[in-house]
Structure formats: structure tokens, C-alpha cells
Amino acid sequence: QALFTPELLSLVFSFFQSADLATSARVCKWWSDTALNELWRDLYSVFPLLELVLDLSLIKEEITSSMFEKLNEVLADADWNRFRSYATRVRSLRFDENEAYRSDPHSPDLDSPVVGILSLHHPFGTVFLPHLQKLNWITERSAPSILPFLSSELKELYLEMSTQTASTANTVFKAINNRTPSLITFYLQAKVQGISVDTSLARWLQTAVNIEEISVPPHYLTPTLTRALGSLPKLRSIKQSLNFTHSTHPSAGLQSLPPGSFPKLSQISFNATPSEAGTFLFTSQEIASRLDRIVLFAYGSLETEDILKFAQLVAQSCPMITELALDLFTIQDSGEQSVSSLPMTVLESLYPCTRCRSLEIGHPFPLTFQEEDVERMGRAWPQLTTLDVCSDPDFSFPFPPQVGSPLSILSVFAKALPRLKVLSLYLNMQEAPLFTGNLWPQHQFQNLEEVDFGLSPVPRGPSREVGFYVASLCKERPTVAYGASSWHTGNLPNDWTQTETAWKEIDDMLGFAMGVKRAGLSSLRESATQ
């Protein structure tokens, strides 16, 4: 009887592969509908649907007049009811025009003329997938082709337009207007400048009153778009697209967040200089007081005074802040070479942020931690779980080899901040502390999941000593990470290939040491029960 309950069947079928679902759909009429719903729920290409009404070979070449006539004939006689029966089941669609369909190097094209012909013959309105809730559309040539796939039930839209012109992007945003009333999440990746499309983008977004989260490319927070976003009653998060290139364009007139706007905003990430960022965020104390997450991609001249002032404003204006990330970078080949290391006073100015759980700072220079620095951080931020500070510096700047923290600082972190889940810092080349043979010291990280040494040199000493020393400070085996972060700019160390190999050996030794540690604990438990 359970196998004829739709809810239970749907749960069981959610674990099936496509071939198994297709087989299940043929078992009986009762199973068929549920199995087909699961089979067609998530599509990773639009072409399985189009194959229901046409031969894909017809749209592999540029549409000529003769092919246009042929396609018209085929679509006029197509079984659109069959198309509809499957299209109504689709809830998620991903389309990437650069991906080969079924490994065919001559994949079909879904350009505007093809979509236009399909729309002309589609007898069930202007929307192909009426119940689509999530759409990921990646295009270089055919952004307007997205329009018939925008359902009124759409909740998540991820749009990447890599080579579209400003004219095409504006056409798309104007056409989308009023088509997405249920939209909650919008992600935009585009190479056109925000100032070129902000008016049409703003007009559309003002109609999407249910948006809660939006992600835009760098420098898109123009005054026009900022005002539009500020009017959205449910918007809680503004993010910047992750796969970006640091831009030399100005921030398109970045101005302050208007008082009385952004009634629900609590998280924001954006591009600005540190001085611009202070004006942008903290003019309205009402908005600043609600922010719990700030990510600043700060470019240009990294004046210590400006960075310190921004940190002080965060501490004074954002009592709810729990996550703060500062990516402080210089623009390559800009002549901005007057950069100095980040002073500890920047972190000290953030000590009033007692709710802080995550602090990430990227900077061209490493930061050296002293024992008393770590102890003060432990007292200021008892809930801290992520600390990533200056672990991957820019080696195009000269700095002495003694800069950075010694490996022995890990034991101080284990004592002061035992709740850390992620710790990322830059080590110097000092001799590694000798492993005394004690795998169970008094102070250990309770939940450390990742220790990231960034672009650190390997401490002097045998890899066995380093691996066992780190293992002794961890209750569970952490992932050992090394290398540049996603936001790193600049040069790598000249000997980085050899350094990577050495860190890999240390990671292997850490794994061996944790195995010894677990075996020892297991043996102790067995002895205690006897």
C-alpha cells in the first residue's frame, strides 16, 4: 500500500537515476505520473524538451529561408500536447549554450530566430515551462532567448551574459519587466558596465517586489540601481558575483544608502575604496544598525588610516555584525606600490564586535600574530568560528622572510579560540616546535575543520614533526589547505611548486598522526571498559 502513496513514491523516486525512473514510469499507470514528475523535474538542457517537437538537426546550422520553411512545417504538425505534458513537470532548468549536448561537437543553437519560431507555434501561451521555479541561463550570444522560459512562478534566476552588448542587455531587462512577480533570488553576471544598463535593470527589479537576495557584478550599485533596490520591501541581502575580475572602472558614482530605504537589508557586499565604503554604508545609522554581514572588496591606495577608520565605523555602527570580510588589494600595473603591512590596531578596533563569528581579511602583506594578540582576540570574540587573515600575500611586494607567525602560534589559538572551525594564517620560516610525543595536550581545537596556510613557506624541520604537532592540537582531522584564495591578486612565491609538494607531505603526515591518535583513544576506551 505504501508504494501507492504519492508522497512516499516521490521520496523513493528521488533516489533513482534517470534510467530507473524511465523504467518505473512504465510499471503501471499509478507509478507513471510520479516517476515522470521526478524524471523531468530538473533539466540540465532545454533540448530534451525540444526533441519532442522537432529534429534537432534542423537547428544545428544558421537558419536559412528554406530551413525556416521546413522548421515551420515541422512545428505546425508537432504534438504540442505531448510537449505540454512534460513541460508542466519541469521545476528547474539549466541552459549553457557553450556545453555540448550529448557530447555532440555540433550542438544545436537556441538563438533568437529559433525561439521566435517556437513561440509562434507554441499553442499554450507565451511561456514554455509554466511551473518553472529555478532557471540558470548562461549565454554569450542569445540572451533574449531566455524570455519564453520566464514563468510567473520563477523563484530563482541565475543569468550570465558574458559577451552581450549594453544594447542587448537593456533589451532583455526591458522585456523581463513584470514577468517575474514571484522572484526571490536573482544572480547576474555580465561584462557590460552597470552604468550602461542601470535604468532598465532598475525598472524591472522594482516590479519584482518579492526579491530577498540579489547578486550583481562589480560596480553595479549606481545611484539609480541603489534607489530601486532600496524600495524592495523584502530585500535582505546584496551580494557581488563571485567569479569577477578586479576592475579599474570607477564605482559609477557610489553614494550613501538613502535613509528610510532597505527596510530588511542585513547583508551586503560591494566594491569601493575604504573611504567610499564608509560614506556608502554609515550615513544611515538605521540601516547600519541592522547589518550582520559586510563584505568589502576595497581597491586602490590602501591607506592604513582609511582602513582603520572603516573598521572603527563598523564597530561603532553595526552592533549586530557577525561576519566581516575585507578584500584589500591593489590594482596591478597602476603604480600604487606604497603599501605597508596591516597593523594589528585594525583588528583591535573591531574588538567591540562581540557577536563576531567570522573575520576574513585579504591584504598584500602578511600579518604577524603575537601571543597576546591571540589571547585578546579570544576574549573579544568568544563565538569566533572562522578567522582568515592575510594568509596569501602578494609576492610582487618585498617583505622580509621573518614576517608572519611561527607555527607555535597554533597552540595559542587552540587555547584562546577552541571553537574555531576554519583558521587561515601566514607562517614564517622559523623552526617548527619539537613534537614532544603528547598527542593529547590540555588545549585542543574542538571543532577545527580546516587549517589553511595560504602561501606560507613550510616551517623548517621534518614534515613528521610539523604533521604530528598540528595533529596534537586537533580533536578531529582537519583539512589542510594551501595556495591562493579566490580573491587573491598578485604574484605567487618563486618556489611555490616545491612548497606545495612539501605541504602535501605535511598533510599526509597529519593524516597518519590523526590515525595514531584515534587508535590510541580507542585503546584507552577499551581499557576503561574492562
Side-chain angles (χ1 to χ4, degrees):
Q1 186 66 32
L3 292 180
F4 291 95
T5 304
E7 294 79 10
L8 291 177
L9 264 181
S10 182
L11 177 63
V12 171
F13 287 158
S14 68
F15 295 96
F16 281 22
Q17 299 296 320
S18 297
D20 300 322
L21 288 170
T23 301
S24 300
R26 298 185 182 97
V27 170
C28 64
K29 186 176 181 180
W30 189 267
W31 279 24
S32 180
D33 198 50
T34 305
L36 288 175
N37 283 342
E38 196 64 39
L39 180 62
W40 286 88
R41 177 182 300 276
D42 303 307
L43 289 185
Y44 295 94
S45 172
V46 69
F47 296 122
L49 265 176
L50 297 188
E51 284 183 307
L52 298 173
V53 292
L54 58 85
D55 183 345
L56 294 183
S57 64
L58 291 173
I59 56 174
K60 286 187 177 183
E61 306 293 339
E62 185 178 351
I63 299 294
T64 62
S65 58
S66 60
M67 292 179 65
F68 185 89
E69 292 178 5
K70 175 63 175 176
L71 192 56
N72 265 319
E73 292 176 5
V74 170
L75 294 176
D77 295 330
D79 188 349
W80 286 103
N81 287 319
R82 183 173 179 235
F83 177 92
R84 177 76 169 180
S85 70
Y86 293 112
T88 54
R89 304 175 192 271
V90 181
R91 298 295 183 272
S92 170
L93 171 64
R94 182 181 187 276
F95 173 70
D96 185 346
E97 68 181 24
N98 295 312
E99 287 186 357
Y101 179 55
R102 294 181 176 171
S103 303
D104 184 354
H106 303 291
S107 293
D109 284 329
L110 195 66
D111 54 16
S112 298
V114 171
V115 172
I117 299 172
L118 287 166
S119 300
L120 180 66
H121 289 276
H122 183 254
F124 301 103
T126 59
V127 178
F128 293 162
L129 309 176
H131 303 306
L132 192 68
Q133 297 181 1
K134 180 178 180 180
L135 177 59
N136 192 325
W137 196 272
I138 304 170
T139 178
E140 290 185 357
R141 305 177 301 275
S142 54
S145 298
I146 192 176
L147 297 177
F149 296 92
L150 296 174
S151 101
S152 61
E153 298 181 16
L154 193 68
K155 291 181 171 59
E156 300 178 45
L157 174 58
Y158 301 82
L159 176 58
E160 297 187 26
M161 302 186 294
S162 57
T163 61
Q164 305 295 312
T165 64
S167 174
T168 301
N170 278 310
T171 298
V172 171
F173 295 141
K174 290 175 182 178
I176 293 178
N177 207 358
N178 289 310
R179 290 176 184 254
T180 56
S182 304
L183 196 65
I184 294 175
T185 300
F186 175 52
Y187 170 106
L188 175 64
Q189 182 65 37
K191 290 187 177 180
V192 295
Q193 293 187 42
I195 196 70
S196 303
V197 298
D198 60 348
T199 300
S200 58
L201 180 58
R203 286 177 179 171
W204 162 48
L205 290 175
Q206 284 177 314
T207 68
V209 295
N210 290 302
I211 283 187
E212 298 178 10
E213 180 179 322
I214 186 169
S215 177
V216 293
H219 313 295
Y220 262 55
L221 294 179
T222 65
T224 298
L225 188 58
T226 300
R227 286 193 296 272
L229 295 179
S231 69
L232 298 177
K234 298 181 181 180
L235 183 66
R236 58 177 179 78
S237 176
I238 300 175
K239 296 181 179 180
Q240 178 180 275
S241 307
L242 295 179
N243 53 328
F244 68 94
T245 302
H246 293 310
S247 173
T248 58
H249 294 302
S251 44
L254 189 70
Q255 297 178 0
S256 59
L257 297 179
S261 60
F262 297 97
K264 296 292 184 180
L265 188 68
S266 62
Q267 302 181 1
I268 187 168
S269 66
F270 61 104
N271 286 87
T273 64
S275 58
E276 286 177 331
T279 303
F280 177 67
L281 281 185
F282 303 118
T283 299
S284 171
Q285 180 58 38
E286 177 193 2
I287 298 174
S289 65
R290 294 196 305 267
L291 295 176
D292 58 39
R293 182 177 186 269
I294 298 173
V295 179
L296 170 63
F297 298 94
Y299 56 89
S301 179
L302 301 181
E303 297 293 340
T304 299
E305 182 181 348
D306 292 337
I307 299 170
L308 179 59
K309 184 177 180 181
F310 178 79
Q312 291 170 340
L313 286 171
V314 171
Q316 295 166 8
S317 307
C318 305
M320 305 302 293
I321 198 74
T322 60
E323 299 179 43
L324 177 63
L326 307 177
D327 177 15
L328 309 170
F329 62 90
T330 57
I331 299 173
Q332 298 298 302
D333 303 321
S334 65
E336 296 167 355
Q337 300 297 312
S338 59
V339 182
S340 57
S341 59
L342 194 72
M344 192 64 197
T345 52
V346 172
L347 274 72
E348 291 170 352
S349 67
L350 294 167
Y351 286 170
C353 303
T354 56
R355 295 171 177 261
C356 187
R357 294 198 303 266
S358 175
L359 177 62
E360 302 178 47
I361 301 178
H363 192 272
F365 276 75
L367 180 66
T368 301
F369 286 109
Q370 305 297 333
E371 288 191 19
E372 55 269 25
D373 297 330
V374 179
E375 290 167 354
R376 285 197 291 266
M377 285 192 294
R379 291 191 292 270
W381 303 320
Q383 301 179 61
L384 196 69
T385 59
T386 297
L387 181 66
D388 179 350
V389 180
C390 310
S391 62
D392 51 355
D394 180 357
F395 280 81
S396 63
F397 293 97
F399 48 84
Q402 65 269 24
V403 173
S405 305
L407 182 65
S408 58
I409 200 70
L410 291 183
S411 63
V412 187
F413 275 106
K415 179 180 179 181
L417 292 161
R419 296 183 180 181
L420 281 177
K421 294 183 178 181
V422 177
L423 174 61
S424 182
L425 70 167
Y426 183 85
L427 302 179
N428 58 31
M429 295 183 67
Q430 287 188 23
E431 192 79 24
L434 290 175
F435 173 62
T436 62
N438 181 14
L439 282 170
W440 301 277
Q442 180 181 0
H443 300 291
Q444 300 180 54
F445 293 107
Q446 303 300 305
N447 304 296
L448 193 64
E449 299 172 359
E450 178 181 305
V451 55
D452 187 346
F453 297 115
L455 298 177
S456 302
V458 175
R460 291 193 298 270
S463 58
R464 177 186 179 280
E465 292 286 335
V466 178
F468 269 78
Y469 176 74
V470 177
S472 70
L473 300 173
C474 305
K475 280 202 167 183
E476 300 293 336
R477 196 227 198 277
T479 299
V480 174
Y482 42 87
S485 64
S486 60
W487 61 11
H488 178 264
T489 62
N491 296 340
L492 301 178
N494 292 329
D495 60 347
W496 182 242
T497 300
Q498 297 91 327
T499 304
E500 274 189 308
T501 301
W503 279 120
K504 176 64 169 63
E505 292 176 358
I506 291 172
D507 187 23
D508 292 341
M509 191 53 63
L510 170 65
F512 176 76
M514 292 303 299
V516 173
K517 191 170 184 175
R518 285 192 296 269
L521 287 173
S522 178
S523 178
L524 287 173
R525 292 192 187 100
E526 289 179 4
S527 299
T529 58
Q530 291 178 356

